[in-house]
Amino acid sequence: MNIIETEALTYAGILHYPPLRIMEGAVTFLTGDSGSGKTTLLRLINATLSPEYGHIFYRGEDTRLSDPLELRRKVLLTGQSVFLFDTTIRDNFHMYYEYRDLPTPSDELIDRYLSLCMAPFALDSSCNTLSGGERQRVYLAIFLSFGADTLLLDEPTSALDRHLSDSVFSNIVSFAKNSGTTLVVVSHDTELVKKHAEFELNLTNEVRR
Amino acid sequence: MNGIVELQIWQFLSVYLLLFVVLGIFLKMKLNQTKKLLLSSVMMTIQLIAAGFVLTFIFERPHPAFTIIYLSAMLVFASYQVVSKNRKLNRKFKISIVLSLWSSGTLVLAMFVGVIVGVSIFNPQYTIPLGGMIIGNAMTGINLGMKTFTESIATQRNKLENLLNLGVDPKRILLPHVNQALETALMPTINSMMGMGIIFLPGMMTGQILSGTNPTTAILYQIAIMIAICSTVCLAVFGALIFGYRTLYNSRKQFVSFLQES
């Protein structure tokens, strides 16, 4: 069954998307040259941008008519720019959860998500002292822990080396399969796409006119 | 108590000698601001001479219309200053800044002159100088508050976008930045209230004492003006931001660029 469908979608007069179908529970990669509208598509799907024309249906419902905040909590976008607060890992979970009005998960649960993302760091360690790759894994762990219905991942492993990138992504896929989460991933990493994509939507030459 | 000693023109002109000392240091140290120093001294002199003539003219013919015109001119000038420092903001944000400046300034001024001093609010001798102090401070406060707000939003764009992606209401995302700007804008006023009377004697009080006013009366005026300034700055900055920050997101809870589309 399709979880996301788009119809005659255009953005700002320059991006014209073909009709897109994304399968529920599957791993779908969006590929294409930079400037082909991959990030914009993710932002249109989670309604942080509105299309110029056309429709996006999430589980059959036109997203224009749904509450944008609820939609974003179900269809969670993990952006390509990592953001962590200038504090410890535990406090980062705490602050992100506070913004969502949710209780902070237990230390055990936080540890589980951190190890899922290959970030087995002490919860009291300060995020300022982590490297770029370490920060990206902590950031992924936080967003993963919200248990969204669909995860939109924009370049999730861009700061990781090939080996780590593959391990982290394999873990994310098995987590998604266990929880029935749909993954929509933008990545430039061809190895990652080759190994993990169940579907690939290439936007190059189709979108920009 | 005696009235103030009138300054004789030749004695007065000798104060410009002090300016030459400053100029000498600027030139010696090759500071870039030499031109600006000269320009600002000349401008100050011309503007104050003009203001002196205008005020003398108005005081001799205290018609309400003159007071209103003078006050409006101050408000227009202050609005222009604030808007020109925030040229890139969207239109609605600018409107909310100007409206808050006007309404908070006139409200507190009317209360000060009409209730605290207890004279007609069209009395130029009170309304014009007190209006200048109140509006001038409101302008500085708004400038500081807006600078803090726009800079914090621009530097923390990534945070704002990540929280938006997480499904957090834009209102909730922006409010901490509003609070921070309000605090920053009020800090100078609050700090100067702290040091007042011990570290320095404030300008208005000094002026009144020099002109022969009883110090007890002078301090009452000073306390009143400080509280008036503090409340005007607070109202002006609060109003500008609380109506302004709502222009930064739309009904679909998306951020709209806080810079004007052009």
Side-chain angles (χ1 to χ4, degrees), chain A residues 137-174:
Chain A
R137 283 174 274 156
V138 171
Y139 172 73
L140 278 173
I142 294 172
F143 274 69
L144 222 57
S145 74
F146 280 104
D149 192 28
T150 295
L151 268 175
L152 310 174
L153 302 169
D154 198 351
E155 300 285 0
T157 60
S158 57
L160 309 182
D161 63 43
R162 172 138 298 153
H163 172 70
L164 204 51
S165 169
D166 184 56
S167 323
V168 169
F169 203 79
S170 303
N171 286 354
I172 293 177
V173 170
S174 56

Side-chain angles (χ1 to χ4, degrees), chain B residues 71-81 102:
Chain B
L71 205 61
S72 309
M74 282 197 285
L75 283 166
V76 167
F77 184 72
S79 311
Y80 173 76
Q81 283 274 311
W102 283 61

Side-chain angles (χ1 to χ4, degrees), chain B residues 146-161:
Chain B
M146 285 311 300
K147 187 170 147 59
T148 312
F149 183 72
T150 49
E151 279 178 2
S152 78
I153 280 192
T155 54
Q156 301 192 50
R157 192 156 199 97
N158 187 24
K159 171 185 168 186
L160 306 188
E161 278 173 4

Side-chain angles (χ1 to χ4, degrees), chain A residues 13 66 84 97 140 195:
Chain A
S66 46
L84 294 173
Y97 273 73
L140 278 173
K195 182 157 177 205

Side-chain angles (χ1 to χ4, degrees), chain A residues 34-63:
Chain A
S34 58
S36 59
K38 305 184 293 289
T39 296
T40 303
L41 181 59
L42 295 185
R43 296 196 57 197
L44 289 170
I45 293 173
N46 89 335
T48 50
L49 289 179
S50 286
E52 186 182 22
Y53 299 110
H55 299 273
I56 300 168
F57 297 94
Y58 188 75
R59 292 193 181 278
E61 192 188 340
D62 191 334
T63 57

Side-chain angles (χ1 to χ4, degrees), chain A residues 52-189:
Chain A
E52 186 182 22
Y53 299 110
H55 299 273
I56 300 168
F57 297 94
Y58 188 75
R59 292 193 181 278
E61 192 188 340
D62 191 334
T63 57
R64 259 178 217 236
L65 306 174
S66 46
D67 176 57
L69 299 183
E70 264 175 43
L71 179 76
R72 283 168 210 161
R73 291 167 186 206
K74 280 188 291 192
V75 189
L76 188 63
L77 170 56
T78 306
Q80 54 184 323
S81 307
V82 171
F83 174 76
L84 294 173
F85 296 92
D86 291 336
T87 173
T88 63
I89 293 176
R90 187 189 286 109
D91 281 349
N92 262 281
F93 273 86
H94 174 69
M95 291 176 88
Y96 265 114
Y97 273 73
E98 200 174 27
Y99 267 108
R100 277 278 297 264
D101 291 320
L102 294 170
T104 313
S106 65
D107 284 1
E108 292 73 41
L109 207 55
I110 294 179
D111 277 329
R112 206 187 303 162
Y113 281 105
L114 286 175
S115 59
L116 189 76
C117 294
M118 315 288 279
F121 314 123
L123 297 190
D124 290 321
S125 46
S126 162
C127 290
N128 287 330
T129 58
L130 301 179
S131 72
E134 290 169 338
R135 287 169 62 85
Q136 188 167 44
R137 283 174 274 156
V138 171
Y139 172 73
L140 278 173
I142 294 172
F143 274 69
L144 222 57
S145 74
F146 280 104
D149 192 28
T150 295
L151 268 175
L152 310 174
L153 302 169
D154 198 351
E155 300 285 0
T157 60
S158 57
L160 309 182
D161 63 43
R162 172 138 298 153
H163 172 70
L164 204 51
S165 169
D166 184 56
S167 323
V168 169
F169 203 79
S170 303
N171 286 354
I172 293 177
V173 170
S174 56
F175 166 80
K177 292 294 174 196
N178 278 331
S179 55
T181 309
T182 307
L183 294 182
V184 182
V185 190
V186 168
S187 182
H188 280 104
D189 184 344

